[in-house]
Amino acid sequence: MFRWFALPCCLLCLLLPSLAQVKSASPFPGALSAGATPAAAELPKLEKFDPSLVDKTKNACGDFYQYTCSKWVAAHPITPDMPVSSTDLPLFLYNQTILRNALDAAAANKQATGTQRQIGDYYQSCMDEKTRNADGKAWLQPSLNTIASLKSSKDLPRVVAYLHLNFPAASDLWNNDDNYSKAPMFGFGPAQDLADASKMVAGIDQGGMALPSLDYYLDNSDHSKELRAKYVQHVQKMFELAGDSSQKAAAEAKTVMEIETALAKASMDNVTRRDPKAIYNKRTLQQLNAAVPDFGWDEYLQQMGAPSVPFYIVSTPAFLDALEQQIKTRSPQDWQAYLRWWAIHRSAPYLGSDFEKAHFDFFRTTLTGTPQMLPLWRRCVASTDNYLGEALGQAYVNVAFPQESKQRANELVTQIRAALVAEIQQLDWMSDATKKQALIKQSATLQKIGYPDQWRDYSSVKIVPDNYLANVNAANAFEMHRQIAKIGKPVDRNEWTMTPPTINAYEDPQMNTINFPAGIMQLPNFGNQDDASNFGAIGMVIGHETIHGFDDQGRKFDAQGNLRDWWTPEDAKRYDEKDKCIVDQYSQEIPEYGVKQNGNLTAGEDTADNGGIHLAMLALEKQYKAQGKSLDTPEADGLTARQRFFLAYAFSWCEDVRPEAARSQVVSNPHSLAQFRVNRPLSNMPEFQQAFGCKDGQPMVHNPQCRVW
Ligand SMILES: [Zn+2]
């Protein structure tokens, strides 16, 4: 679903899943050999916390993240194809290897039919570099021809709809590649009505900018200016690859930058967008036509196959004004340039290596500092997961997520939610009236574990073995039509927006669901390790998603997912005061990267981290008590269960990030850097202080200790 309403509520920054790579030397060299089924690759070993990894030369009460992570990080330098090295990377390789084995078998099985044939052919079309290099440029031609047919602004709705169907903004937002998730001019798709969450309505969002966030267009630092100059060079290069002369390409690139900058200036920043009311602006079709009279909305909606609805939700009314201004003043040639850029840009990863490499050079190397692409097979596995995820996901679940795992995961979620109930009941700052509402909301939350009960039917998607871009376009159009068909219909809470192998989790405030894909329910987060470690690692994740329903955004939605204030004014005021402690704690300069963290941007995620680890600790305490065991008695490895809880938590977040990627995350992502996600919540916890004997005044004891939930 179109996710601009749905608030940044997932666990990890978008950087991570694109980041996941362990060794640049692939254990599986070479492409598929024709005919033969390749031997299944051996699954790599997963990481888990081990007491020998603790760096005893560091002080647990000084910098717990370094204490837990420095040895692991030193032993796992960032590889050239990754923006980061982290303890989740072995898991990412593990998940991808399972998928690869399934795809290799499907591609080699010439008798395969149905879903197996589709995923096999899709993967094959991606792996076939020879055909991509030979034919890739020609695959662009249908899009370029359509754009060339634009002779006046009257043609814009038809051409933009064509591009939106082939390259929608919607479908892959959750699939972790932010650079691929944007559409030209604006975004369009279904959204749950904020006022009546049982219904799907249509939304129009700001968009049409290819750089990751507004800062890239608007910030006046030398660094940003330099990036903008490089971006214009990149756009020019892509036009040249598509066959334009360098003179024409330079002029086109300048036009693209002008239009995107004008759109950026009228867009809402990512902190303001965190207020659901700010992005909830109802407009009738008549009002849309009045706001942007030079764009034929009727024709656009018809071309998109969108049903007629009483109103549209517009995230940024001022953006529509800017759109009108651009349409009114720009020539057809300007629009051709702008739309050509988008067609080339969004197609580039699926063409020959010249396009793919140029795209990578800017969006990965320049923006995140990653010098090398992942090996081809890993890119192709990720792409199949992205576009045919629920077809491929079944194979993953069969290997990696047996019924026992699902059952234990379900129990853990239930235990953590019980901790939240107990916590709400004894909160001293919340009135009984608000508590009652909070408990109603909590009990109405639907928990989903692992994978969907019913798998998506992709049978209408036409997949061929020898045109990768056509496959991506077909999968995109399928998804966009599927999304648009939701408009005007009741919502389906059972649908998933992440695929089963995804190493992430999310809370959906409007659906009132918490969702944990099978891909994250693995080591080092969950699995064959002691209970304290499982509670510390995955327990915090579960608590984090649970708390999202009650963070600075989630608390504005009620049990039914409607945007409704269910707080008494006094409670809301006390909540804001408590949350401000966290906002202040996280707002600070990060000298090593030369950027400042905005605690208002990360408030929801930080509150969820703090509440999540607290709930996980409460749930573990309850379990130990029921079993008649102590959390504070040293066990065989010399550690107490309470210590292991915190160590396993920190270990699951160990990472080393390239400076470019870190800077990009701090300015544009609502998640704090891993070192802060570890140290700051723990420095707010008396239980941590107790576990490691930390004294007031030491860095790991924050003054004051912030606590909301
Ligand atoms: Zn989150």
Side-chain angles (χ1 to χ4, degrees):
M1 171 177 5
F2 226 168
R3 282 286 142 185
W4 67 82
F5 294 126
L7 326 167
C9 53
C10 60
L11 174 75
L12 302 164
C13 67
L14 292 174
L15 180 70
L16 193 132
S18 63
L19 53 70
Q21 158 70 355
V22 181
K23 298 276 189 297
S24 57
S26 160
F28 320 105
L32 291 177
S33 55
T37 304
E42 199 181 322
L43 298 182
K45 192 172 165 290
L46 296 175
E47 296 281 335
K48 64 177 173 179
F49 170 72
D50 172 338
S52 70
L53 292 166
V54 168
D55 185 349
K56 294 272 172 50
T57 68
K58 302 266 186 326
N59 183 353
C61 300
D63 184 337
F64 191 67
Y65 176 80
Q66 288 296 331
Y67 176 75
T68 314
C69 293
S70 65
K71 274 171 82 172
W72 189 90
V73 166
H76 298 81
I78 303 173
T79 55
D81 47 12
M82 294 302 303
V84 64
S85 169
S86 79
T87 45
D88 263 344
L89 293 198
L91 173 56
F92 190 67
L93 180 62
Y94 173 88
N95 288 354
Q96 284 208 311
T97 305
I98 292 172
L99 300 179
R100 178 193 173 139
N101 286 339
L103 289 167
D104 276 347
N109 179 3
K110 296 302 167 209
Q111 269 74 52
T113 55
T115 298
Q116 287 301 301
R117 176 84 274 135
Q118 285 177 304
I119 59 173
D121 282 351
Y122 184 97
Y123 185 63
Q124 176 63 40
S125 75
C126 174
M127 293 293 288
D128 184 358
E129 277 189 305
K130 207 171 138 212
T131 303
R132 288 173 61 178
N133 286 334
D135 299 349
K137 196 171 153 189
W139 295 340
L140 261 179
Q141 215 48 53
S143 291
L144 299 184
N145 290 345
T146 302
I147 294 165
S149 74
L150 187 152
K151 301 296 179 212
S152 82
S153 64
K154 288 197 172 38
D155 296 320
L156 267 177
R158 172 178 54 84
V159 177
V160 171
Y162 172 89
L163 291 172
H164 280 185
L165 286 171
N166 282 293
F167 300 107
S171 63
D172 46 7
L173 195 53
W174 282 113
N175 283 308
N176 310 313
D177 199 336
D178 42 341
N179 294 320
Y180 294 47
S181 64
K182 297 176 176 182
M185 285 188 89
F186 59 87
F188 175 78
Q192 250 172 296
D193 189 356
L194 284 169
D196 178 1
S198 67
K199 290 207 183 70
M200 299 299 288
V201 292
I204 295 165
D205 195 17
Q206 65 191 37
M209 299 156 272
L211 286 169
S213 72
L214 302 184
D215 283 349
Y216 287 86
Y217 294 94
L218 307 178
D219 181 61
N220 267 327
S221 68
D222 288 345
H223 180 66
S224 295
K225 285 179 188 160
E226 193 189 318
L227 281 181
R228 282 199 285 277
K230 286 183 177 165
Y231 176 57
V232 174
Q233 284 165 16
H234 167 69
V235 177
Q236 175 179 345
K237 176 162 190 191
M238 297 307 276
F239 280 122
E240 288 172 17
L241 282 177
D244 295 349
S245 70
S246 62
Q247 201 185 1
K248 184 181 178 209
E252 288 173 312
K254 190 169 158 277
T255 303
V256 167
M257 191 57 174
E258 284 170 9
I259 294 178
E260 293 193 357
T261 305
L263 298 180
K265 282 181 179 159
S267 292
M268 200 182 280
D269 68 79
N270 52 7
V271 174
T272 312
R273 278 170 74 87
R274 290 175 53 74
D275 176 4
K277 280 198 172 128
I279 53 175
Y280 187 65
N281 307 287
K282 281 185 178 184
R283 296 289 184 272
T284 62
L285 183 56
Q286 206 181 359
Q287 287 171 318
L288 281 184
N289 280 321
V292 197
D294 287 286
F295 187 76
W297 288 102
D298 301 76
E299 187 183 357
Y300 171 79
L301 293 166
Q302 193 204 339
Q303 294 274 348
M304 293 298 284
S308 139
V309 287
F311 61 86
Y312 299 83
I313 297 175
V314 172
S315 66
T316 316
F319 182 85
L320 293 186
D321 301 339
L323 207 55
E324 168 61 19
Q325 189 59 29
Q326 291 299 308
I327 296 171
K328 202 164 64 181
T329 55
R330 293 275 168 194
S331 67
Q333 289 70 33
D334 286 354
W335 285 114
Q336 286 197 10
Y338 173 78
L339 296 171
R340 276 167 67 81
W341 151 243
W342 274 89
I344 299 163
H345 166 59
R346 289 292 303 270
S347 302
Y350 318 110
L351 303 176
S353 55
D354 44 357
F355 283 91
E356 191 182 16
K357 172 106 182 22
H359 177 87
F360 182 89
D361 283 349
F362 181 76
F363 281 97
R364 291 290 172 226
T365 306
T366 303
L367 293 187
T368 74
T370 313
Q372 260 177 35
M373 272 189 262
L374 287 162
L376 180 64
W377 76 266
R378 299 197 65 172
R379 306 198 304 271
C380 293
V381 164
S383 177
T384 318
D385 176 45
N386 198 357
Y387 288 100
L388 298 171
E390 288 195 17
L392 180 57
Q394 301 170 42
Y396 177 77
V397 168
N398 289 342
V399 176
F401 202 60
Q403 197 55 37
E404 308 85 81
S405 297
K406 181 165 176 159
Q407 198 180 331
R408 179 63 190 125
N410 234 323
E411 283 164 15
L412 260 174
V413 176
T414 305
Q415 285 175 281
I416 305 264
R417 290 179 64 183
L420 176 62
V421 169
E423 179 69 1
I424 290 170
Q425 281 163 341
Q426 62 82 53
L427 280 179
D428 59 4
W429 56 269
M430 188 183 265
S431 68
D432 288 346
T434 305
K435 280 183 183 176
K436 195 171 153 215
Q437 296 288 323
L439 291 171
I440 290 172
K441 174 165 185 180
Q442 198 294 130
S443 65
T445 304
L446 175 67
Q447 66 191 51
K448 286 150 61 189
I449 313 287
Y451 49 91
D453 294 335
Q454 215 176 1
W455 298 97
R456 192 163 299 158
D457 175 8
Y458 294 94
S459 55
S460 64
V461 187
K462 185 166 181 282
I463 300 294
V464 294
D466 55 4
N467 186 330
Y468 184 27
L469 180 64
N471 289 339
V472 169
N473 289 155
N476 269 328
F478 165 80
E479 177 61 14
M480 198 62 189
H481 286 305
R482 197 180 74 79
Q483 294 293 342
I484 286 172
K486 294 177 179 175
I487 296 172
K489 304 253 173 63
V491 301
D492 175 8
R493 290 176 89 199
N494 291 310
E495 191 182 330
W496 284 72
T497 53
M498 284 182 186
T499 64
T502 305
I503 308 172
N504 210 335
Y506 68 100
E507 183 260 355
D508 188 323
Q510 291 181 276
M511 295 280 190
N512 194 9
T513 60
I514 46 176
N515 308 270
F516 305 95
I520 196 170
M521 290 289 176
Q522 314 288 341
L523 292 174
N525 308 309
F526 172 76
N528 186 20
Q529 58 185 350
D530 64 288
D531 280 348
S533 297
N534 275 334
F535 274 87
I538 200 70
M540 176 277 180
V541 172
I542 296 166
H544 173 107
E545 301 307 336
T546 306
I547 289 294
H548 267 316
F550 303 87
D551 70 16
D552 66 323
Q553 291 179 312
R555 74 181 188 83
K556 293 173 180 160
F557 294 84
D558 68 12
Q560 281 72 45
N562 295 321
L563 183 62
R564 179 175 74 80
D565 196 355
W566 47 271
W567 293 63
T568 67
E570 300 75 37
D571 287 342
K573 189 161 165 268
R574 279 193 289 269
Y575 176 94
D576 290 340
E577 281 163 15
K578 293 206 161 269
D579 212 32
K580 184 167 185 303
C581 182
I582 290 182
V583 171
D584 291 344
Q585 184 188 8
Y586 283 76
S587 294
Q588 61 184 63
E589 299 288 344
I590 307 176
E592 59 197 293
Y593 301 125
V595 284
K596 183 171 192 288
Q597 180 166 350
N598 180 349
N600 287 308
L601 174 62
T602 56
E605 297 302 328
D606 299 335
T607 307
D609 283 349
N610 277 271
I613 187 77
H614 176 63
L615 291 187
M617 174 52 80
L618 292 179
L620 179 67
E621 280 173 349
K622 190 175 169 196
Q623 177 174 310
Y624 261 58
K625 204 170 162 199
Q627 293 167 340
K629 297 193 294 187
S630 164
L631 277 174
D632 299 302
T633 309
E635 295 176 7
D637 57 8
L639 296 169
T640 67
R642 202 185 294 279
Q643 288 173 331
R644 214 179 302 103
F645 170 94
F646 289 116
L647 288 161
Y649 166 60
F651 181 73
S652 71
W653 289 100
C654 294
E655 69 174 26
D656 189 13
V657 194
R658 292 183 190 279
E660 296 87 342
R663 271 194 290 271
S664 173
Q665 180 177 341
V666 171
V667 298
S668 59
N669 197 287
H671 299 85
S672 298
L673 292 170
Q675 54 175 307
F676 304 123
R677 297 187 75 167
V678 171
N679 281 352
R680 287 179 181 156
L682 300 191
S683 72
N684 287 328
M685 292 181 76
E687 298 92 337
F688 175 80
Q689 227 178 313
Q690 177 193 340
F692 291 92
C694 302
K695 304 275 180 296
D696 290 354
Q698 288 188 292
M700 286 304 298
V701 184
H702 189 252
N703 183 18
Q705 290 192 310
C706 305
R707 160 81 66 81
V708 183
W709 298 100

